[in-house]
Amino acid sequence: MNAEIILRGLEKDASLIDESIQDWWLSYLHGHFNRYLETLSVLFKLGLHGKILDVGSVPGHFTVLLKRLGYNVVGVDINPKRCMKFFQKYNLKVEKVDIETEKLPFQDNSFDFVLFMEMLEHLRINPLFALREIYRVLKSPGYMVLTTPNITLPMRISFLLGKSYQGNPAEEFAKLDRIGHMGHIRLYTLHEIRQLLEFSGFKVEYFMHLGKTKGGWKTKLLRLLYPKQREFKPYLCVISSPNKPPKL
């Protein structure tokens, strides 16, 4: 089945989503449509197989996409109730877990792939706890695929000029009440992500930039001065594996 057709068809499921987040749910589907497809392409190249865990499943578009494509996927989320009717329609198991404070309800070495997509930037308590739990449940060999917003060159220049690229902190904290989870609390550079992963026991295997570069005269000018095209893409994708000792 075609992934694009599946994703476009999810629009009709908006009525299954809690009314308080329906608008956000649809906006997220449209805004992340291309990222979903690019990430799926990355997973295919890695040889996606076996048991898959999607950490932070809500809004659930990607989890359902994998399920519809025939993969064995389960999820965890801080408040799956927001999309529970949606998950039930597609026979998806999504457990309620606060990944910063609660252990994942799975045995060690349970999953071949763990997806940690657009999550790191939302964690406000202890991302190391979440990463260590992912490390625990991920098989070796196995892959964690992490995606997170990229701090682009235009964003860096804005910061040097005294402007914030992190967003309005009041609005990001207000999302705790409005949509049920924290907004962006912190964006990370690739170097910082590598530090977090290696400290948690992972080995970074690959990284890439995803998404379409935003236009505008400022971006075009910066491209002429700094021609590394990947630096302008809006998402980072980091693939890592658990650096575990072999079994004796």
Side-chain angles (χ1 to χ4, degrees):
M1 188 176 289
N2 184 281
E4 288 191 42
I5 293 174
I6 293 173
L7 285 175
R8 295 191 192 283
L10 295 183
E11 288 188 354
K12 68 180 185 299
D13 292 323
S15 61
L16 300 175
I17 307 303
D18 189 285
E19 289 185 1
S20 64
I21 67 165
Q22 273 185 20
D23 290 343
W24 168 80
W25 187 89
L26 279 169
S27 176
Y28 200 97
L29 174 60
H30 299 149
H32 290 258
F33 190 91
N34 290 324
R35 179 183 64 79
Y36 287 148
L37 294 176
E38 282 194 78
T39 305
L40 185 64
S41 178
V42 171
L43 292 173
F44 286 162
K45 291 176 181 177
L46 289 172
L48 186 64
H49 67 280
K51 291 183 66 177
I52 304 163
L53 174 63
D54 187 16
V55 176
S57 295
V58 171
H61 309 130
F62 200 80
T63 327
V64 167
L65 172 62
L66 292 179
K67 183 74 173 183
R68 296 281 313 274
L69 290 172
Y71 289 99
N72 180 10
V73 58
V74 298
V76 295
D77 192 84
I78 194 171
N79 184 9
K81 185 179 178 180
R82 298 172 289 173
C83 296
M84 190 54 68
K85 291 181 181 178
F86 178 57
F87 294 141
Q88 289 172 344
K89 174 180 176 178
Y90 294 101
N91 195 29
L92 261 172
K93 182 180 179 182
V94 179
E95 302 263 5
K96 184 180 186 301
V97 180
D98 183 339
I99 62 166
E100 293 190 88
T101 60
E102 298 175 330
K103 292 177 70 68
L104 291 169
F106 309 108
Q107 294 182 352
D108 297 1
N109 308 309
S110 296
F111 296 95
D112 299 280
F113 279 79
V114 176
L115 309 180
F116 196 53
M117 298 174 4
E118 307 306 296
M119 284 295 298
L120 182 62
E121 67 275 12
H122 295 271
L123 302 185
R124 62 194 175 97
I125 301 173
N126 189 358
L128 290 176
F129 180 90
L131 290 170
R132 285 168 176 159
E133 274 298 286
I134 291 172
Y135 177 90
R136 179 181 65 80
V137 302
L138 184 58
K139 293 180 181 179
S140 181
Y143 289 112
M144 177 176 71
V145 177
L146 180 156
T147 70
T148 192
N150 179 35
I151 304 174
T152 64
L153 185 60
M155 293 164 70
R156 294 171 189 269
I157 291 175
S158 292
F159 181 74
L160 288 175
L161 295 175
K163 299 178 182 179
S164 172
Y165 59 82
Q166 301 272 20
N168 183 325
E171 291 179 359
E172 300 304 314
F173 276 101
K175 290 177 182 177
L176 283 165
D177 295 322
R178 185 166 62 83
I179 62 176
H181 61 256
M182 177 69 199
H184 291 184
I185 185 66
R186 189 194 196 286
L187 301 186
Y188 294 87
T189 66
L190 179 61
H191 179 67
E192 290 170 331
I193 294 169
R194 186 184 293 272
Q195 289 177 320
L196 287 171
L197 292 176
E198 291 179 351
F199 189 84
S200 303
F202 290 93
K203 176 185 176 183
V204 174
E205 304 284 358
Y206 322 96
F207 73 89
M208 62 203 71
H209 295 74
L210 304 178
K212 292 185 177 180
T213 303
K214 293 183 179 180
W217 68 267
K218 290 182 181 179
T219 299
K220 291 179 181 178
L221 177 60
L222 288 171
R223 278 179 176 174
L224 294 174
L225 299 174
Y226 190 84
K228 291 184 179 180
Q229 298 298 305
R230 70 184 188 187
E231 301 292 339
F232 295 87
K233 292 188 175 184
Y235 301 103
L236 283 171
C237 180
V238 181
I239 295 99
S240 57
S241 59
N243 196 9
K244 296 180 180 179
K247 292 183 179 180
L248 300 178

